[in-house]
Amino acid sequence: MVTPGGGVAATVAAIRRMRGPGRRPAKEQVAIRLDPEVLSAFRAGGPGWQTRMNAALKEWLAAQPPRGKQAVQRGGSRGTGSK
């Protein structure tokens, strides 16, 4: 696909917009504080440490008993201090 007069950036943007309903869910970028020894252990494995950490968290989640709808909701209240 080539967009007339738009250049490479416009072509790439058009291709990205064309991705249809078969698209995998996007990952969400977050900021998280981890103990230095946890982070260094994952980083010691080399490239792909974030993917391995994600897999370890998924494995942990699978081993947990279901906690109801609230546990899986996204975008809940942040920083409200309520427990």
Side-chain angles (χ1 to χ4, degrees):
M1 166 182 230
V2 177
T3 53
V8 175
T11 301
V12 171
I15 290 170
R16 286 188 179 150
R17 281 192 302 268
M18 285 179 28
R19 294 176 68 191
R23 219 168 112 171
R24 291 175 46 194
K27 293 187 177 180
E28 186 173 340
Q29 183 175 355
V30 297
I32 183 172
R33 294 184 184 273
L34 302 168
D35 290 335
E37 59 270 16
V38 171
L39 193 54
S40 64
F42 276 96
R43 284 182 171 166
W49 66 269
Q50 291 170 321
T51 301
R52 287 189 301 277
M53 184 177 283
N54 191 55
L57 290 169
K58 282 183 176 182
E59 185 178 321
W60 180 85
L61 279 174
Q64 303 306 304
R67 297 185 68 189
K69 279 187 174 182
Q70 188 176 13
V72 294
Q73 286 180 346
R74 289 181 160 224
S77 57
R78 286 180 31 177
T80 60
S82 61
K83 291 188 179 185

